[in-house]
């Protein structure tokens, strides 16, 4: 497979179409490297999106029809969701550990796959993330974006019924599963670091080349290569401590429920013109790709956690009832739970009383009955 140049906005030497013929400059080694990255991009995209031609965002291929071909899209733990900040459970999770996020890749490609724009990279140090809600090390796969027709909506997850104009998804697979394809077969196979965007009055300089390259990939299945590849850190917000996290799914078919979502609270700032550049991309049928977000799904029995630096009693997340230390008055450790607090319990969302709590009232009732009978007997003896 060779790259063909496609003149566009003066960046023709960095733009190519999948499967095209013709020559490419830069020598044999550069050509081989470019072909390897192109093949890797195709493999990654096919893994994450399944059969790309089988879904869209409008009409017969829209989200309401995805379940007709992909059963998982009608599951009970789907994404995205609306996160109510008043209903989240505040926690102190271990710090997230980011490795390789500050290392600029050797090569980074930007691809319009007809549904979104995707970034793949080749680096001497593959970015990984661990810690927080994650058990194990997760390795970078790709990143992509979701946006809307205008600046009032476009993100997939919502915060307090608010949609942001755009959302960034950085996809990682669990290292022990070797690759993204096999990771789809495990409930903890993937994690997605999600960042929201807000509109600022001026351009974000860290996205300058990124936005310029979008002009080279307007058509579906076009790719462009960065002259100066950015590190992941260059594209992200600064606050990586405060975030929401929950268990969910891919937001595109096959909608596999294998994703630990980590939604960072602090948004990234872009200008209106920078976000508008995404809306100029075209889908597989040549129509403007003005929106590519899935509607929110029912949260069901899930509880969203919010990581904070506030001091909170640490509780094992996978225990239904944390063990009570022997010989210690637990009322001194934390205040009694209110009805609203119990409604947030990740294992008892319906706020039903635990059976052991109901049973504990019977011995007390029996004692009062015996005491009343004893008083009656004493009164009878006195009268005699």
């Amino acid at each position: 497979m060779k790259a063909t140049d496609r003149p566009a906005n003066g960046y023709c030497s960095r733009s190519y179409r999948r499967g095209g013929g013709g020559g490419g400059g830069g020598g044999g080694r550069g050509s081989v490297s470019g072909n390897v990255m192109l093949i890797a991009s195709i493999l990654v995209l096919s893994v994450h999106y399944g059969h790309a031609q089988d879904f869209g965002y409008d009409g017969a291929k829209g989200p309401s029809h995805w379940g007709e071909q992909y059963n998982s899209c009608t599951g009970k733990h789907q994404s995205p969701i609306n996160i109510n900040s008043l209903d989240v459970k505040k926690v102190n999770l271990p710090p997230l550990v980011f490795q390789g996020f500050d290392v600029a890749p050797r090569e980074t490609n930007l691809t319009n796959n007809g549904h979104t724009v995707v970034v793949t990279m080749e680096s001497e140090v593959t970015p990984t993330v661990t810690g927080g809600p994650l058990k194990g090390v997760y390795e970078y796969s790709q990143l992509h974006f979701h946006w809307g027709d205008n600046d009032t909506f476009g993100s997939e997850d919502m915060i307090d019924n608010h949609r942001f104009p755009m959302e960034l998804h950085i996809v990682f697979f669990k290292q022990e599963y070797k690759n993204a394809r096999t990771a789809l077969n495990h409930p903890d196979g993937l994690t997605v670091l999600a960042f929201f965007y807000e509109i600022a009055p001026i351009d974000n300089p860290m996205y300058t080349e990124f936005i310029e390259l979008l002009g080279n990939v307007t058509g579906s299945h076009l790719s462009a290569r960065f002259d100066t590849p950015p590190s992941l850190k260059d594209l992200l917000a600064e606050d990586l401590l405060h975030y929401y996290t929950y268990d969910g799914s891919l937001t595109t078919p096959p909608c596999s429920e294998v994703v630990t979502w980590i939604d960072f609270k602090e948004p990234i700032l872009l200008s209106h013109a920078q976000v508008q550049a995404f809306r100029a991309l075209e889908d597989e049928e040549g129509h403007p790709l003005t929106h590519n977000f899935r509607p929110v799904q029912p949260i069901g029995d899930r509880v969203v956690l919010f990581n904070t630096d506030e001091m909170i009693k640490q509780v094992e997340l996978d225990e239904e009832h944390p063990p009570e230390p022997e010989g210690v008055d637990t009322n001194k450790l934390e205040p009694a739970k209110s009805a609203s607090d119990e409604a947030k319990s990740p294992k008892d969302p319906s706020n039903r009383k635990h059976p052991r709590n109901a049973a504990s009232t019977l011995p007390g009732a029996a004692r009062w009955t015996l005491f009343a009978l004893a008083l009656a007997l004493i009164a009878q003896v006195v009268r005699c």
Side-chain angles (χ1 to χ4, degrees):
M1 182 182 298
K2 291 185 179 181
T4 53
D5 294 337
R6 178 180 184 270
N9 300 337
Y11 292 90
C12 59
S13 64
R14 292 183 288 165
S15 181
Y16 49 88
R17 181 181 294 273
R18 294 182 189 168
R29 183 173 181 179
S31 176
V32 171
S33 176
N35 289 341
V36 170
M37 281 301 298
L38 184 58
I39 293 171
S41 299
I42 295 173
L43 289 175
V44 169
L45 299 182
S46 65
V47 167
H48 186 62
Y49 289 102
H51 302 290
Q53 70 275 15
D54 289 342
F55 80 94
Y57 290 93
D58 294 295
K61 293 184 179 180
S64 62
H65 295 279
W66 291 353
E68 297 168 6
Q69 296 188 57
Y70 303 93
N71 292 334
S72 295
C73 294
T74 60
K76 295 183 178 180
H77 294 157
Q78 289 290 290
S79 297
I81 62 172
N82 176 43
I83 297 173
N84 186 335
S85 62
L86 298 179
D87 288 340
V88 300
K89 180 179 178 63
K90 291 185 178 181
V91 292
N92 298 138
L93 294 173
L96 285 169
V97 180
F98 305 93
Q99 296 287 346
F101 276 56
D102 56 350
V103 178
R106 290 195 303 268
E107 186 174 306
T108 299
N109 287 333
L110 188 71
T111 302
N112 174 357
N113 70 348
H115 301 289
T116 184
V117 60
V118 184
V119 175
T120 55
M121 62 179 61
E122 181 181 346
S123 178
E124 295 179 358
V125 180
T126 302
T128 62
V129 61
T130 188
L134 306 175
K135 295 182 179 179
V137 179
Y138 286 75
E139 183 175 319
Y140 176 84
S141 176
Q142 49 99 335
L143 66 82
H144 62 271
F145 301 82
H146 297 271
W147 60 87
D149 301 73
N150 58 60
D151 294 343
T152 63
F153 58 90
S155 67
E156 296 208 299
D157 276 336
M158 300 171 65
I159 307 295
D160 295 329
N161 296 307
H162 172 67
R163 279 197 188 275
F164 300 81
M166 194 164 72
E167 184 174 341
L168 165 63
H169 290 168
I170 311 177
V171 183
F172 294 76
F173 64 88
K174 197 168 187 178
Q175 263 187 353
E176 66 178 82
Y177 302 140
K178 307 302 182 183
N179 56 61
R181 184 182 298 277
T182 57
L184 291 176
N185 299 320
H186 302 272
D188 61 345
L190 302 176
T191 188
V192 176
L193 307 185
F195 292 84
F196 302 110
Y197 290 87
E198 287 283 25
I199 301 300
I202 59 175
D203 288 349
N204 184 334
M206 303 307 297
Y207 278 74
T208 299
E209 185 179 11
F210 196 110
I211 301 302
E212 290 175 347
L213 286 181
L214 289 178
N216 285 7
V217 298
T218 301
S220 176
H221 302 296
L222 289 177
S223 292
R225 185 175 297 117
F226 281 82
D227 279 344
T228 307
S231 68
L232 281 182
K233 183 180 178 181
D234 293 335
L235 302 176
L236 309 184
E238 293 185 3
D239 180 7
L240 302 178
L241 171 64
H242 299 92
Y243 58 82
Y244 303 94
T245 180
Y246 71 96
D247 293 332
S249 71
L250 296 176
T251 62
T252 59
C255 307
S256 307
E257 295 182 346
V258 298
V259 182
T260 300
W261 283 91
I262 300 177
D263 292 6
F264 291 91
K265 183 178 179 181
E266 182 185 8
I268 303 168
L269 299 180
L270 294 182
S271 69
H272 166 76
Q274 288 178 310
V275 175
Q276 188 68 20
F278 286 84
R279 301 178 184 126
L281 300 178
E282 297 175 354
D283 62 19
E284 292 188 318
E285 298 177 353
H287 301 140
L289 189 57
T290 56
H291 58 275
N292 61 350
F293 62 92
R294 186 188 191 188
V296 293
Q297 305 296 303
I299 192 170
D301 61 356
R302 291 174 288 179
V303 169
V304 179
L305 306 180
F306 177 68
N307 190 61
T308 177
D309 52 356
E310 297 176 11
M311 294 302 295
I312 300 173
K313 178 187 175 184
Q314 187 65 41
V315 176
E316 287 293 331
L317 302 180
D318 56 353
E319 290 184 12
E320 181 171 358
H321 296 282
E324 297 180 357
E326 295 182 3
V328 178
D329 183 0
T330 56
N331 289 327
K332 295 181 180 179
L333 298 178
E334 62 179 359
K337 290 185 177 181
S338 65
S340 60
D341 290 331
E342 290 193 6
K344 302 174 187 177
S345 171
K347 297 298 183 179
D348 193 13
S350 62
N351 198 28
R352 291 190 298 268
K353 290 184 178 179
H354 196 275
R356 72 178 185 183
N357 294 334
S360 66
T361 62
L362 294 178
R367 286 196 297 270
W368 280 108
T369 301
L370 292 175
F371 182 68
L373 291 174
L375 288 178
L377 181 60
I378 292 172
Q380 183 65 28
V381 171
V382 170
R383 284 196 297 271
C384 294

